[in-house]
């Protein structure tokens, strides 16, 4: 296993697997050469501190940090459907990803990948060029969702989706000389998800929260949301990435959680993140105000750009009326429902002064009141606004007309 550093990748450790069957126990040990480096940093300051000796991943297949850099629901689904005759789990999922994966890690006997293991014949031979046609990628994603995909579809998606996290259809794509995550519409969407998410990210930006660069790109009569990769520098140097789920040792297959925003802030402070309490309070109020149903621990991330850990930009910000899944509670004793007033009470256990908390809340509400204007700019239809109208609190005065 390798880690990106100035000038390329260096050996960081060895990840081995024991036993047979679908689930195999992984063990990780840091490389002696990595431990000897003066600028070494742990892959996970809490779960994998720098030390000699191997660490068993049990009850997981691999230490949780490796789930952050491997595929999640969508990417795994593409691979499983592409190779129906193979039994795939984390060793194969990690091996199939390339240097474009999230974060700064690479797997195989060399950084470029597993030269000693090939997944089989078609459909994953003769991969397409880097600049794939967006309309073709969207059609391929739709075919996978519908169960109608053939070898051509999997060829298109393998390069862009084999190491992408998240549950929704998406792919890595290069456009205008930059790397993006292209997020596609899904067959089950009740509204134009890419356009609505873009407008919600506009709210976050207007409220002063860090957000990635983004744009709506149309192809074949449908919209895709392009989100600029924030785990890469302008020169495409990879940054280390960790999720709050990893820091809080949340099981990899669970999205519902007993952990709270207070727990996320405490874990962030433990790895040296400055201003963690206020930053998490901002996100709590934003998510409560926008009724974000994708507010789970894997959607709160941390980056190390070389100067220590910091909170990653806001991402996966989409409202859904009536749904109650994937929501972190503000703190112990405060329910997880989308109630900005209840969420506001978390300023006390987070030790945020009342005036500071009020200023944060007012700033976010003022930004959220601009949501209709942002929806105008992103092309969200009146029909979709009416679908979403019940998701928002009365404090923002949302008018779907």
């Amino acid at each position: 296993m390798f880690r990106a550093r100035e000038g390329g990748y260096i050996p960081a450790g060895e990840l081995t697997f024991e036993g047979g069957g679908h689930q195999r126990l992984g063990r990780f040990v840091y490389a002696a050469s990595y431990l000897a480096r003066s600028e070494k940093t742990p892959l996970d300051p809490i779960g994998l501190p720098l030390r000699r000796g191997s660490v068993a991943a049990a009850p997981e297949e691999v230490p949780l940090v490796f789930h952050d850099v491997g595929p999640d629901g969508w990417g795994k689904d593409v691979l499983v459907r592409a190779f129906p005759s193979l039994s795939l789990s984390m060793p194969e999922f990690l091996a199939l990803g390339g240097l474009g994966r999230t974060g700064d890690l690479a797997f195989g006997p060399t950084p470029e990948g597993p030269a000693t293991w090939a997944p089989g014949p078609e459909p994953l031979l003769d991969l397409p060029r880097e600049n794939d046609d967006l309309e073709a990628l969207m059609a391929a994603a739709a075919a996978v969702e519908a169960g109608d995909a053939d070898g051509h579809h999997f060829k298109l998606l393998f390069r862009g989706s084999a190491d992408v996290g998240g549950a929704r259809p998406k792919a890595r794509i290069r456009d205008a000389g930059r790397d993006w995550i292209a997020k596609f519409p899904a067959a089950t969407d009740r509204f134009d998800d890419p356009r609505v998410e873009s407008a919600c990210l506009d709210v976050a930006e207007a409220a002063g929260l860090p957000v990635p660069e983004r744009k709506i790109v149309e192809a074949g009569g449908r919209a895709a949301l392009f989100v600029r990769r924030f785990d890469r520098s302008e020169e495409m140097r990879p940054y280390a990435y960790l999720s709050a789920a990893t820091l809080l040792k949340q099981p990899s297959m669970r999205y519902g959680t007993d952990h709270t925003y207070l727990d996320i802030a405490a874990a962030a402070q433990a790895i040296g993140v400055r201003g963690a309490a206020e930053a998490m309070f901002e996100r709590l109020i934003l998510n409560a105000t926008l009724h974000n149903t994708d507010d789970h621990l894997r959607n709160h991330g941390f980056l190390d750009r070389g100067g220590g850990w910091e909170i990653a930009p806001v991402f996966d910000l989409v409202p859904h009326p009536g749904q109650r899944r994937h929501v972190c509670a503000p703190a112990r004793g405060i329910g997880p429902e989308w109630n900005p007033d209840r969420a506001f009470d978390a300023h006390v256990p987070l030790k945020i002064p009342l005036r500071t908390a009020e200023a944060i809340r007012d700033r976010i509400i003022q930004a959220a009141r601009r949501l209709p204007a942002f929806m105008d700019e992103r092309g969200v239809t009146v029909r979709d606004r009416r679908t979403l109208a019940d998701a928002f609190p009365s404090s923002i005065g949302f008018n779907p007309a």
Side-chain angles (χ1 to χ4, degrees):
M1 194 214 76
F2 299 82
R3 194 170 200 187
R5 285 294 182 263
E6 290 289 349
Y9 284 80
I10 62 169
E14 184 175 60
L15 181 61
T16 58
F17 295 89
E18 303 169 357
H22 182 67
Q23 296 289 322
R24 285 151 285 171
L25 174 65
R27 283 187 170 273
F28 175 77
V29 59
Y30 281 106
S33 61
Y34 185 78
L35 293 175
R37 297 178 68 92
S38 59
E39 74 280 17
K40 60 185 177 292
T41 56
L43 305 186
D44 171 1
I46 295 176
L48 280 181
L50 294 171
R51 67 181 186 187
R52 299 185 183 278
S54 67
V55 177
E60 299 282 338
E61 273 195 288
V62 294
L64 290 173
V65 63
F66 299 128
H67 286 279
D68 288 338
V69 302
D72 203 352
W74 169 250
K76 289 179 179 178
D77 193 38
V78 168
L79 294 173
V80 168
R81 295 196 194 192
F83 299 108
S85 63
L86 297 181
S87 177
L88 304 181
S89 57
M90 283 307 294
E92 291 80 20
F93 290 140
L94 291 174
L96 282 166
L99 296 183
R101 73 177 75 240
T102 300
D104 66 345
L105 304 182
F107 298 86
T110 69
E112 287 70 30
T116 58
W117 179 75
E122 293 279 6
L124 302 184
L125 300 179
D126 302 323
L127 302 182
R129 294 189 306 273
E130 189 174 46
N131 295 293
D132 284 327
D133 177 74
L134 176 61
E135 187 170 351
L137 280 169
M138 292 173 73
V144 169
E145 280 199 295
D148 298 329
D150 59 22
H152 170 69
H153 296 125
F154 288 120
K155 282 185 184 182
L156 284 170
L157 289 172
F158 176 67
R159 179 195 55 78
S161 297
D163 49 22
V164 176
R168 290 185 56 82
K170 60 176 67 69
R172 289 185 288 105
I173 195 167
R174 191 161 181 82
D175 182 71
R178 295 181 173 183
D179 279 20
W180 309 76
I181 300 296
K183 305 180 73 172
F184 305 140
T188 56
D189 286 345
R190 295 172 56 190
F191 51 85
D192 193 331
D193 195 285
R195 293 186 190 276
V196 171
E197 181 175 354
S198 184
C200 289
L201 288 169
D202 292 341
V203 170
E205 184 174 54
L209 279 72
V211 295
E213 182 183 346
R214 63 216 169 274
K215 60 183 178 180
I216 292 292
V217 181
E218 295 184 7
R222 298 186 299 166
L225 172 60
F226 279 32
V227 178
R228 179 84 180 279
R229 294 190 60 170
F230 52 73
D231 65 330
R232 295 293 189 269
S233 70
E234 289 289 338
E235 298 77 27
M236 292 308 298
R237 176 191 168 193
Y239 296 139
Y241 179 82
L242 285 173
S243 70
T246 289
L247 292 180
L248 292 172
K249 301 182 180 180
Q250 176 82 2
S252 62
M253 300 305 293
R254 281 182 52 194
Y255 283 86
T257 183
D258 295 328
H259 290 296
T260 68
Y261 273 81
L262 185 62
D263 296 326
I264 300 174
Q269 290 169 341
I271 64 171
V273 175
R274 297 179 180 178
E278 287 190 15
M280 294 315 304
F281 183 73
E282 284 182 329
R283 291 166 193 239
L284 167 61
I285 299 301
L286 177 73
N287 284 319
T289 300
L290 292 180
H291 203 107
N292 179 21
T293 56
D294 215 13
D295 182 24
H296 56 79
L297 293 178
R298 293 206 173 277
N299 282 346
H300 295 282
F302 301 88
L303 295 172
D304 185 352
R305 307 173 196 257
W309 291 102
E310 60 187 75
I311 297 180
V314 174
F315 60 97
D316 284 7
L317 184 58
V318 184
H320 280 274
Q323 295 190 24
R324 288 180 172 269
R325 60 184 180 85
H326 293 177
V327 180
C328 303
R332 298 284 184 266
I334 301 177
E337 64 274 1
W338 290 276
N339 184 327
D341 293 331
R342 289 284 288 146
F344 181 80
D345 293 340
H347 80 87
V348 176
L350 284 167
K351 298 181 181 179
I352 298 172
L354 177 60
R355 286 190 178 182
T356 302
E358 289 175 336
I360 290 172
R361 178 189 59 191
D362 293 346
R363 172 161 42 89
I364 290 172
I365 289 175
Q366 289 303 316
R369 287 175 177 167
R370 297 171 58 188
L371 184 57
F374 293 134
M375 287 183 168
D376 287 342
E377 294 173 6
R378 299 299 183 177
V380 179
T381 66
V382 172
R383 178 180 178 180
D384 284 350
R385 298 182 204 204
R386 288 173 178 164
T387 299
L388 292 166
D390 292 339
F392 306 117
S394 59
S395 59
I396 73 169
F398 181 76
N399 182 359

